[in-house]
């Protein structure tokens, strides 16, 4: 489960931040005996979470260690689209910009007309721009990136690559949270506030729901919030901040309510609160 530094630490740090990310074409373990010959940022699915604070000037250096041209497009940057590359193998793409709008943003490969296949081969991640103020209430925080794999699994469990015919039809083999088919439970306590920084890579709109809870508030960006939401829609290419409380001891699975067919393949993150700890409210 990707950890975050959070608002307080990120906004307390220096306002010039730089990030070095390698593009690596490698085989990743998805769990449940399945491997995928992926294209990745940093060797993992999803890529590393980029954390910045409103008003920061960020520099992202993308080192293309792959065999074809790759780039990086972050939805949190208001910039000439040509800044996103791509650059050929062996080259580095450098993007510098001040981030002004808080939100949870998708970033992904930018490869001209073949961008879709690059994104769906694994080149995507989350960028969080925290509001500088007000301070967010203390919470258990985690990043959840919903993505999918488009290909066929062979007898050994290997998915040898992305199938362009399937990407063109948004016909995923399965969807995943954080590049895993088998996310383990997250231990919480009754009464805890949980804050999820969610990005939907696609396909389709993620219908994000927590079984047994109701979002206290959700934000699609900026500092505006909507309260008391049972299920929040996050379209492909979007992100949201989702806050909910663990109401009592028990199990509270975060799911995509439009993709419950993938529950047997692990598309769920179970927040589990024991009866012994926490203070129910
Ligand atoms: Cu690419």
């Amino acid at each position: 489960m990707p950890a975050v530094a959070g608002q307080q630490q990120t906004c307390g740090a220096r306002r010039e931040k730089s990030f070095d990310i390698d593009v690596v074409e490698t085989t990743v373990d998805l769990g449940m005996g399945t491997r995928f010959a992926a294209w990745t940022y940093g060797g993992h699915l999803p890529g590393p979470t980029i954390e910045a604070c409103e008003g920061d000037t960020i520099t992202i250096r993308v080192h293309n260690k792959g065999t074809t041209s790759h780039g990086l497009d972050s939805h949190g940057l208001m910039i000439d689209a040509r800044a996103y590359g791509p650059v050929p193998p062996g080259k580095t793409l450098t993007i510098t910009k001040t981030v002004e709008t808080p939100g949870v943003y998708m970033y992904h490969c930018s490869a001209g007309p073949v961008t879709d296949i690059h994104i769906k081969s694994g080149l995507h991640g989350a960028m969080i721009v925290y509001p500088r103020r007000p301070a967010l209430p203390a919470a258990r925080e985690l990043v959840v990136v919903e993505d999918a794999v488009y290909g066929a699994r062979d007898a050994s469990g290997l998915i040898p690559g992305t199938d362009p015919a399937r990407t063109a039809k948004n016909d995923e083999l399965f969807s995943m949270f954080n590049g895993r088919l088998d996310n383990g439970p997250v231990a919480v306590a009754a009464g805890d506030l949980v804050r999820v920084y969610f990005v939907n890579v696609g396909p389709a709109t993620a219908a994000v729901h927590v079984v047994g809870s109701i979002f206290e508030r959700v934000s699609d960006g900026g500092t505006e919030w909507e309260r008391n939401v049972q299920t929040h829609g996050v379209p492909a290419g979007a992100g949201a901040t989702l806050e909910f409380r663990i109401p009592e001891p028990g199990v509270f699975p975060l799911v995509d309510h439009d993709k419950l067919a993938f529950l047997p393949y692990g598309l769920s993150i179970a927040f589990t609160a024991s009866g012994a700890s926490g203070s129910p409210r």
Side-chain angles (χ1 to χ4, degrees):
M1 202 67 59
V4 292
Q7 179 198 31
Q8 196 173 350
Q9 187 177 325
T10 303
C11 292
R14 60 188 303 242
R15 294 195 180 197
E16 293 76 36
K17 295 181 171 66
S18 54
F19 305 88
D20 284 272
I21 303 176
D22 291 347
V23 176
V24 185
E25 300 170 7
T26 187
T27 297
V28 295
D29 179 14
L30 307 180
M32 290 189 177
T34 302
R35 290 163 297 124
F36 173 44
W39 293 349
T40 72
Y41 290 117
H44 299 282
L45 281 188
T49 299
I50 299 170
E51 293 177 79
C53 187
E54 180 183 2
D56 283 352
T57 299
I58 67 169
T59 299
I60 303 171
R61 285 182 292 267
V62 183
H63 309 287
N64 184 359
K65 298 184 174 176
T67 59
T68 187
S69 291
H70 297 293
L72 190 147
D73 170 341
S74 171
H75 295 186
L77 303 177
M78 306 229 333
I79 196 170
D80 180 350
R82 293 172 296 182
Y84 295 139
V87 294
K91 298 292 187 194
T92 293
L93 172 70
T94 302
I95 309 166
T96 299
K97 191 69 183 180
T98 300
V99 291
E100 307 282 6
T101 309
V104 183
Y105 296 101
M106 178 185 183
Y107 75 82
H108 60 81
C109 190
S110 174
V114 290
T115 292
D116 188 57
I117 290 169
H118 287 231
I119 295 172
K120 288 169 174 168
S121 295
L123 287 166
H124 52 255
M127 179 172 113
I128 304 168
V129 178
Y130 297 103
R132 194 162 291 280
R133 59 188 68 81
L136 297 165
R140 296 289 305 274
E141 297 188 304
L142 69 159
V143 175
V144 178
V145 175
E146 180 171 330
D147 57 11
V149 169
Y150 306 75
R153 187 165 26 191
D154 70 15
S156 76
L158 175 69
I159 301 160
T162 297
D163 179 349
R166 293 189 76 146
T167 62
K169 290 186 287 189
N170 274 334
D171 174 26
E172 78 267 46
L173 179 63
F174 45 72
S175 288
M176 300 181 291
F177 289 143
N178 292 333
R180 293 296 297 187
L181 290 165
D182 56 353
N183 285 291
V186 178
V188 290
D192 274 357
L193 181 68
V194 179
R195 179 176 302 115
V196 173
Y197 298 102
F198 191 94
V199 164
N200 181 24
V201 176
T205 295
V208 191
H209 175 71
V210 177
V211 181
S213 193
I214 297 165
F215 293 120
E216 283 193 358
R217 58 178 196 166
V218 301
S219 176
D220 289 324
T223 51
E224 298 80 34
W225 297 84
E226 182 184 358
R227 303 191 70 82
N228 303 320
V229 177
Q230 60 183 299
T231 299
H232 190 57
V234 182
T241 306
L242 312 167
E243 291 184 0
F244 62 97
R245 202 167 290 277
I246 303 298
E248 60 186 25
V251 180
F252 303 87
L254 183 148
V255 300
D256 179 338
H257 217 287
D258 198 39
K259 296 199 181 75
L260 296 179
F262 294 115
L263 279 180
Y265 303 97
L267 190 65
S268 167
I269 295 175
F271 294 89
T272 304
S274 74
S277 58
S279 50
R281 40 174 284 170

